Amino acid sequence: MSTTASTPFPAATIVGYPRIGRRRELKKAVESYWAGRSDATTLQREAADLRHSQYSRLAELGLDASNSSIPASFSFYDQVLDTAVAVGAVPQRFASLADDDGRLGLDAYFTLARGDAENQPLEMTKWFDSNYHYLVPEIGPDTKFSYANRWIREQFAEAAEAGFTTRPTLIGPVTFLLLSKAAEGSGAGFPPLSRLEDLLPVYTQILEDLASAGVQWVQFDEPSLVADQPVDSATLTAAVERAYTVLTDGNRPQILVTTPYGSAGELLPVLAGTDIEALHIDAFKGTVPDAGALRGLGDTVLVAGLVDGHNIWKADLEDASGRLSRLEELAGRVAVSTSTSLLHVPYDADDEQQLDPALRSWLAFADQKVAEVVTLSRAVGAPEAIATEIAAAAEVLATRPSASGVRRAEVRERTGSLGDDDFQRPDYEVRQAAQKAVLDLPPLPTTTTGSFPQTSEVRSARARLRKGELSGDDYTAAMRAEIRRVIELQEELGFDVLVHGEPERNDMVQYFAEHLDGFEATVHGWVQSYGSRCTRPAILWGDVSRPEPITVPWSSYAKSLTDKPVKGMLTGPVTILAWSFVRDDQPLGETANQVALALRDEIADLESAGIPIVQVDEPALRELLPLRQAEQAHYLDWSVNAFRLATSGAAAETQVHTHLCYSEFGAVIGAIDALNADVTSIEAARSKMEVVTDLRQHGFSRGVGPGVYDIHSPRVPSTEEVRQLLQAALDHVPASQLWVNPDCGLKTRGYEEVTESLGNLTQAAVAVRESLVAAR
Ligand code: GLN
Ligand code: ZN
């Protein structure tokens, strides 16, 4: 091999930096471009300004501008999509958008991400165990790879001109193929990984091009290597070995391979044995490898991901420097980095001046983490060099356990005295009979997942309340008006179980966080969820309790408007944890139980208010599932227990529903059953009811509502389509168990399409009901 340069790997770096902008500048720029309010030149200029200011900021925080320590981790939408377009992997249905060289313009790039009138966008799915979503490349036996889009080279040159020697980053070839799905028409079971040999020459070409542009270091992210894969280990080992044998064999920059989100396990020695120049390990979440695993390192720099990129707590520098010393014994040279990209955390804790100073002092957002990395890098070879910083961090962290609200006796007494009974409801047969007596529902009862469209009036009422332009009473009146409208609509459409529509909720987790003790909201703490979408997770920092009822007034008001049963709506403990930044000073299961008890109290109050059905949503149950099978049982144990703790106080006659979405339930069907809900609604429309086969195989015996209306698309399903989906479900689920509902909440949709779709849904249910009676 011949590398263009031999500048040493920087002592301090990060895997990636948030790219949405400190004040969501990229979101605003991109959305205004999509809406036609600005042109492409403006968007490109705004993006370039943003990149420039991010590089400057990182340099200011201590990353050297001249030595490749700043990763070029910008993306207009998603880093996996960027790699797909760099290697020309454009699905057939979008082929006409590319020029003869397979190149896409920015509009075409956005079309892949968002779809157009004729074509579905690329599928979106969760990125490892985070709440970021990436776009799934589609690879078939005939996908043509070519070095198509050269944005990484252009961005390197742009940065260089401004005085920054950046480190271009791409998804590594093995992870890229493992994250891909088989393109339509590929034949059953086609593994995209089988295209590795054809993909590698394109990566080689990219490396050559980057070398000629003067790139010193390039980064390949290989997070798939830390997750169990549906590929046997020999195939995986061979793929990794082959990929990095080929990639290290040309005229190229030096190569860093990263393995964030866990331990690469048996693939670590494989990577260490290749000719790459730097190897990153997640030394926060992953384990410190033993000497044997890294024996093959040779001169390869070990890049120690010591600072957590995924949560927001100030690092324990003493612990980190201990890990650093152990790693120094294993490698000739060690550099310091974050465990993952900082994509998952907000920019700057100093922006949150409204927070209690004690809480703020425990936080490290992206910028604080960069500083921690820089500090730790000074300890390489000289642990005593940061003694002052270690002591300072220890002093701050020592204030945490005893600070007011962190550990509250009354909360601890409750969780400490839980017994088996607290997790157990009466037998299902008993519940079923009791519920039947109260509810009197027809076969195939119809309901929705909870939220109705959030109109601009609803959102603006909330904004005006926040700004003090609307009084509390006027706000309540506005929400009540919306609830009335939603109840009337459901009555008109003939629903059997009604909801209040959740107009009062900005977000299904944030809303509860704002009403529970132990949580704090941020003002600027936005993190990218996908594309231009951001969420602002709350910080769960202290012991959790419920100062007063949260949803009861809204549900009661809805109940007062109708004779039909109204379903109370709560977000489950696991989802509340998954979508918040959670304290790291105790096991998650302990925190989950505290949240569960608060919800248990809420359910008791809903029951007292005469609400006969309560739904506890757990859409994120699948999301937190550990990437390694060996760790999954423990997770499922505490997460299922937390749900059961929340719901097991409910009387036998109270019908408990749950709702799950974000697909791939196969792995967790047992856990879904163990939730022991009376009715489970589950996303299914897009996968054509696949999940019901899984449920039948498992022997699921309680109520189930596979979604029959795909709410992620503005398309209105016809009555006939819904009827067919219900018939398909009836092949696997007895009519006595089947519920009829959409895939998920309707919050992001508009009233017009929702009214039509829901009308078709209830009509289809009635038609199937009648055919069942006729068949008897
Ligand atoms: N009840 C919530 C809603 O309907 C559920 C949303 C979700 O599953 N993501 O909006
Ligand atoms: Zn959902």
Side-chain angles (χ1 to χ4, degrees), residues 531-735:
S532 66
R533 280 290 193 102
C534 300
T535 62
R536 195 157 43 101
I539 301 171
L540 199 180
W541 61 274
D543 278 354
V544 176
S545 65
R546 186 193 69 140
E548 59 181 8
I550 304 170
T551 64
V552 180
W554 304 120
S555 294
S556 301
Y557 178 67
K559 178 182 147 60
S560 74
L561 302 173
T562 177
D563 295 331
K564 294 268 177 71
V566 168
K567 178 164 72 169
M569 298 299 310
L570 305 176
T571 303
V574 183
T575 300
I576 290 185
L577 258 55
W579 295 349
S580 306
F581 289 120
V582 181
R583 62 192 295 177
D584 60 349
D585 57 347
Q586 63 182 19
L588 285 176
E590 174 75 25
T591 309
N593 279 351
Q594 294 182 0
V595 177
L597 284 172
L599 295 169
R600 188 177 171 113
D601 297 345
E602 183 74 9
I603 293 177
D605 286 336
L606 285 167
E607 286 182 308
S608 308
I611 302 294
I613 305 180
V614 179
Q615 178 168 311
V616 180
D617 292 325
E618 284 291 20
L621 183 71
R622 175 73 179 73
E623 172 180 323
L624 285 190
L625 190 71
L627 304 174
R628 295 286 190 196
Q629 246 153 32
E631 293 154 28
Q632 291 176 357
H634 171 69
Y635 161 72
L636 290 172
D637 194 48
W638 70 252
S639 58
V640 167
N641 272 331
F643 181 91
R644 292 177 66 124
L645 178 59
T647 53
S648 294
E653 61 265 32
T654 301
Q655 191 166 68
V656 174
H657 289 214
T658 189
H659 164 72
L660 305 150
C661 49
Y662 301 121
S663 62
E664 287 180 55
F665 296 107
V668 294
I669 285 280
I672 295 174
D673 196 12
L675 295 177
N676 196 17
D678 298 306
V679 179
T680 302
S681 78
I682 198 159
E683 181 178 318
R686 242 188 226 186
S687 63
K688 306 263 182 292
M689 303 280 116
E690 248 166 44
V691 67
V692 290
T693 341
D694 291 343
L695 287 169
R696 184 190 50 176
Q697 272 161 13
H698 181 80
F700 200 81
S701 60
R702 296 181 300 277
V704 50
V708 287
Y709 158 26
D710 172 15
I711 62 88
H712 299 102
S713 142
R715 231 182 96 251
V716 172
S718 65
T719 304
E720 180 52 21
E721 179 182 334
V722 176
R723 202 190 58 77
Q724 281 174 15
L725 288 171
L726 289 174
Q727 286 298 351
L730 281 172
D731 289 343
H732 303 278
V733 181

Side-chain angles (χ1 to χ4, degrees), residues 81-103:
L81 178 61
D82 291 0
T83 300
V85 302
V87 302
V90 176
Q92 198 47 47
R93 65 182 179 286
F94 293 116
S96 63
L97 298 177
D99 71 12
D100 292 345
D101 300 317
R103 222 162 282 181

